[in-house]
Amino acid sequence: MSVAFTKEESAETASETLLPDRPISAHQNLVTAAGLKALEAQLKQAQEAYDLAQKIEDVNERRRESALPLRDIRYFAARLRTAQVVPDPTASDAVSFGSTVTFKRNDGRVQTYRIVGEDEADPKQGMISFVSPIARLLMGKAIGDVIVSAGQDIEIVAIA
């Protein structure tokens, strides 16, 4: 429909309210139980933001304020539909999805990360995606195994 028949200020205003969808990974949507709860909470938060924006009287402002929550609703709903909850590992003999792995680099740094789903990954919080390069190298390895990444030796020192 042309903007000539709406109460919008201009075609430019209408186009700025249409945000492209957030990209969805082609990888399996594996999540931990905590990751599933986080997706549910993010969807709820987006729905609440959208509902709040719908109360704005000015049509242009309402559309601007609704654009981001609406895009997030589509994204989180799709991620929840495809989520595959992976139970926490029961053994710590090899690195797997959900494992917390500590490794030592040959420069002396010791790092600990939990391997989680893409949406819950946050390296600053010690969580990396199972599709990240380092996680893919660590998967299936045991304590004492040494792998080479970017010219550095990485030795696995603990798995929890």
Side-chain angles (χ1 to χ4, degrees):
M1 167 173 19
S2 170
V3 293
F5 299 104
T6 66
K7 293 175 72 177
E8 295 171 349
E9 297 166 357
S10 67
E12 186 176 299
T13 302
S15 68
E16 72 185 29
T17 63
L18 301 173
L19 297 177
D21 283 340
R22 291 174 63 175
I24 294 181
S25 173
H27 298 282
Q28 283 184 296
N29 186 14
L30 304 181
V31 297
T32 63
L36 182 66
K37 287 179 183 174
L39 283 173
E40 291 168 343
Q42 289 170 310
L43 176 59
K44 182 179 178 191
Q45 185 178 19
Q47 288 170 328
E48 289 169 355
Y50 179 78
D51 291 344
L52 188 61
Q54 293 306 297
K55 295 178 183 177
I56 298 172
E57 283 191 39
D58 179 78
V59 67
N60 295 311
E61 186 62 23
R62 181 173 57 240
R63 287 185 178 174
R64 275 191 289 275
E65 292 298 317
S66 297
L68 186 60
L70 191 56
R71 178 181 73 169
D72 287 348
I73 288 169
R74 289 191 307 266
Y75 176 81
F76 292 120
R79 295 302 278 174
L80 279 167
R81 272 193 310 277
T82 60
Q84 299 173 35
V85 178
V86 178
D88 288 338
T90 56
S92 58
D93 55 339
V95 177
S96 61
F97 186 91
S99 294
T100 300
V101 59
T102 302
F103 53 89
K104 184 170 81 174
R105 296 180 181 267
N106 60 355
D107 64 5
R109 288 183 294 158
V110 176
Q111 296 176 293
T112 301
Y113 290 107
R114 181 165 189 225
I115 299 174
V116 296
E118 291 177 279
D119 291 314
E120 57 189 313
D122 184 353
K124 290 182 180 179
Q125 298 296 318
M127 296 184 290
I128 58 173
S129 168
F130 73 100
V131 297
S132 69
I134 189 71
R136 294 193 329 208
L137 288 172
L138 294 169
M139 296 291 262
K141 302 295 190 263
I143 295 172
D145 285 352
V146 177
I147 56 176
V148 178
S149 174
Q152 281 200 10
D153 290 344
I154 296 173
E155 180 184 359
I156 299 172
V157 295
I159 302 170

